[in-house]
Amino acid sequence: MAAHIGRRLRKGAATTAVAAAAVAALSASQAPGATVDDQGRQNTGDATSAPDTAADDSATGNSPYYTDLPPLNSPAPSPSAGSGEAGDRSAAEAGIPATVLDAYKKAEAALREKKAGCNLPWQLLAAIGKVESGQARGGRVTADGTTVTPILGPQLDGNGFALIRDTDNGAYDGNRMYDQAVGPMQFIPSTWSWAGRDGNGDGRKDPNNIYDAALAAGHYLCRFDWDLSEPGDLRKAILSYNNSTEYLNTVLSWLEYYRKGTHEIPDGTGALPEDRSDARPGVTPSAPGTTPPARPGKPSGSRPSPSPSAPGTGSPSAPPTTPPPPTTPPPSTPPTPTDTVHHLEDAGTGTLTAMAGHTFAERISTRAETEAGKAVAKVRIRFTIVGDTDTTFAGGESVATVTTDASGVAVAPALQAGEKTGAFAVQAAVAGRSVKGVPYKVTVTQRVADALTRVGEKELTCVAGGEFAEPVEVKATYGGEAAGKVAVTAKLVTSADDPAENDKGPYFKDADGKAIRTLTGLRTGPDGQLTLPKLYADGTAGTFLLRLTTAGGATLEVELTVEPAATPSPDPDPSADPAPSTDPSTEPSETPAA
């Protein structure tokens, strides 16, 4: 393998010899606000202010990751840079397997459309993919992007790692005791359950598929309206993926390395990293997808019992060895607040109903309790929107995690109703635990208006058989504010007392040019205004009534006047004597008397 991927720059004397060069080379290429230490590792100005992210609230559960740093030289060295070991390694490390690279770029394109303000670069996904799984084990994926074999991190049993008990009944990681990070982007099951995406359009959300995992990682990094072109937001996003300063520095190093240049290589030929964050002296780091060996036990520290004196030496015998005290098991780790939660209870949440496009006035409140009903503080409650809806929490996300306060209560962010009406649910659950949660019924109602007024005061008239020159324009409001996207029905009625459709007078035209006198499916614009299609008049003169109604009961009646067509002048009677001519040239000449 070493011959395939190029030899590593080993830590020790060789690393020390190139430390100065590492500082100079990396510091010139790091993200704004970043510096490099004397080992060539990156430090960020606010790295010490990492968010207090719990393991089960990060994408990976703070699982182990690869700590290999990129080569010191550029991915595309100039001819004068020379060749040899450093150049070979740089070329190998800059290569990204074709399918994996395609997945990163497709995810970037999708996020550019869905969350343009995030400014997610595909190189960030490549940097995380490198650190998490060595680019899906060097691109060992099938044609559709699924890893040839599952990639699993160690079980998160609290033994050197975070403690995250099983949350998926083994569905993703095959482990019904503890969670394990899964796939090329190393999502823990509890995170994948809400962050998973279908990136290759096969109708499945598979954490072991690089297209699905890359798209999910992109959405995860963009979930808080962060702008990843801003150094501060970039650092927050990376730390939310794995809350470790060393992780942050390693990802940033690869990000800048890939920004200098990469190239596509065949699937399955990518360079494999060697050093893992969970490596211990004397322990070989596990290959990707396997559980690392247990750490070697400590020596007992006991000495052999002294031997009795040889017979006849006159030396006193050694005193009898005092029997060791009974062995007591080491004290167990005290339970965390999360461990003490027995169930969740609603904490006085009111009716969750809002009009489409509006913010819910009521917020979900959930209380964490022990079996005895005692409040539990500092517990992370995950609120997940479930069902066919486009309603979201602030920031456009379907999941929000909130820590309970001293009274054991977590209040979810306000819900923002989408355009889909109907009922759905929000499920409150303890992050990292399978305990009784609380479902909340949520309803989105259609947009309504409580007032409808006409825009303009000009009379609406036309002659029989003609068309109205002025269109009918109206504005809908609700509570005095413009009511956008409200459904409106326009109907030409018989009279103010008879809502039946009129069979004569003004009319609209359908797509085939036929007369119709009722229009449905109309909607006001964002400003609450609506301009109706052109009106025509048949041969009936008179005063007519157009009635407009909206969802919510607002009504407006508009008067339309059709004037009779002009009466043509009658034709002259041909039998009548013609009028005498006044043209002098036609008058008979008068002959003077003789």
Side-chain angles (χ1 to χ4, degrees), residues 243-263:
N243 191 25
S244 159
T245 300
E246 184 184 23
Y247 181 88
L248 167 69
N249 295 337
T250 306
V251 169
L252 285 174
S253 295
W254 283 106
L255 168 62
E256 294 310 310
Y257 182 75
Y258 286 139
R259 276 176 166 164
K260 294 177 188 175
T262 59
H263 58 274

Side-chain angles (χ1 to χ4, degrees), residues 132-491:
E132 293 295 347
S133 68
Q135 310 297 20
R137 295 179 183 159
R140 287 160 178 79
V141 296
T142 60
D144 70 347
T146 302
T147 57
V148 174
T149 56
I151 299 177
L152 296 175
Q155 67 177 17
L156 301 174
D157 57 5
N159 182 25
F161 312 113
L163 173 60
I164 305 180
R165 295 183 176 86
D166 176 54
T167 61
D168 66 330
N169 198 30
Y172 294 117
D173 54 14
N175 190 334
R176 296 187 180 184
M177 290 289 292
Y178 302 97
D179 271 352
Q180 295 175 245
V182 182
M185 304 304 276
Q186 288 290 276
F187 279 95
I188 54 173
S190 58
T191 300
W192 183 262
S193 65
W194 60 265
R197 296 290 194 280
D198 177 14
N200 62 352
D202 64 355
R204 299 175 60 239
K205 299 176 183 178
D206 182 2
N208 279 301
N209 182 280
I210 186 60
Y211 287 100
D212 295 358
L215 183 60
H219 277 278
Y220 186 92
L221 294 165
C222 292
R223 71 194 186 284
F224 289 133
D225 285 339
W226 284 325
D227 180 356
L228 302 188
S229 65
E230 294 290 333
D233 283 357
L234 175 64
R235 289 191 284 271
K236 291 176 186 175
I238 295 172
L239 286 167
S240 78
Y241 209 88
N242 190 313
N243 191 25
S244 159
T245 300
E246 184 184 23
Y247 181 88
L248 167 69
N249 295 337
T250 306
V251 169
L252 285 174
S253 295
W254 283 106
L255 168 62
E256 294 310 310
Y257 182 75
Y258 286 139
R259 276 176 166 164
K260 294 177 188 175
T262 59
H263 58 274
E264 179 183 299
I265 60 174
D267 289 343
T269 64
L272 298 177
E274 296 180 357
D275 299 325
R276 292 239 311 206
S277 62
D278 58 332
R280 299 288 188 271
V283 179
T284 302
S286 302
T290 62
T291 301
R295 285 177 284 174
K298 295 182 179 179
S300 65
S302 60
R303 293 178 293 178
S305 301
S307 301
S309 301
T313 62
S315 300
S317 300
T321 304
T322 302
T327 302
T328 57
S332 59
T333 303
T336 66
T338 301
D339 293 330
T340 66
V341 177
H342 177 265
H343 62 273
L344 298 180
E345 293 286 349
D346 175 47
T349 306
T351 302
L352 295 166
T353 301
M355 189 191 309
H358 288 239
T359 301
F360 282 73
E362 187 73 19
R363 294 169 65 177
I364 298 174
S365 297
T366 304
R367 175 181 160 99
E369 297 182 353
T370 64
E371 186 173 8
K374 183 179 178 181
V376 185
K378 298 182 180 180
V379 175
R380 293 167 304 283
I381 306 300
R382 180 172 293 129
F383 300 94
T384 305
I385 297 174
V386 181
D388 183 17
T389 180
D390 54 356
T391 294
T392 64
F393 291 111
E397 293 300 323
S398 60
V399 175
T401 303
V402 181
T403 302
T404 57
D405 59 18
S407 63
V409 174
V411 180
L415 286 163
Q416 178 65 43
E419 295 303 321
K420 289 184 178 179
T421 60
F424 58 96
V426 172
Q427 181 70 37
V430 178
R433 287 286 310 278
S434 298
V435 300
K436 180 183 177 183
V438 180
Y440 293 88
K441 182 180 179 181
V442 186
T443 304
V444 176
T445 61
Q446 64 178 333
R447 292 174 178 263
V448 299
D450 56 16
L452 195 59
T453 57
R454 186 182 162 210
V455 177
E457 299 179 353
K458 190 173 182 178
E459 292 186 0
L460 299 169
T461 63
C462 78
V463 297
E467 58 186 52
F468 288 80
E470 296 291 329
V472 177
E473 295 181 87
V474 297
K475 181 174 182 178
T477 56
Y478 182 78
E481 301 292 331
K485 301 182 181 179
V486 173
V488 179
T489 298
K491 184 178 183 180

Side-chain angles (χ1 to χ4, degrees), residues 9-105:
L9 295 177
R10 300 290 181 184
K11 297 177 181 178
T15 303
T16 304
V18 298
V23 174
L26 284 176
S27 62
S29 65
Q30 303 303 341
T35 59
V36 180
D37 63 18
D38 60 359
Q39 297 299 317
R41 292 185 181 275
Q42 197 176 50
N43 296 309
T44 57
D46 63 353
T48 56
S49 60
D52 183 19
T53 305
D56 55 328
D57 280 338
S58 70
T60 67
N62 295 339
S63 293
Y65 53 89
Y66 290 103
T67 59
D68 303 60
L69 289 171
L72 300 179
N73 54 313
S74 169
S78 63
S80 61
S83 58
E85 182 177 316
D88 293 343
R89 180 178 177 243
S90 180
E93 294 288 8
I96 299 179
T99 299
V100 178
L101 181 60
D102 183 57
Y104 296 150
K105 292 184 175 181

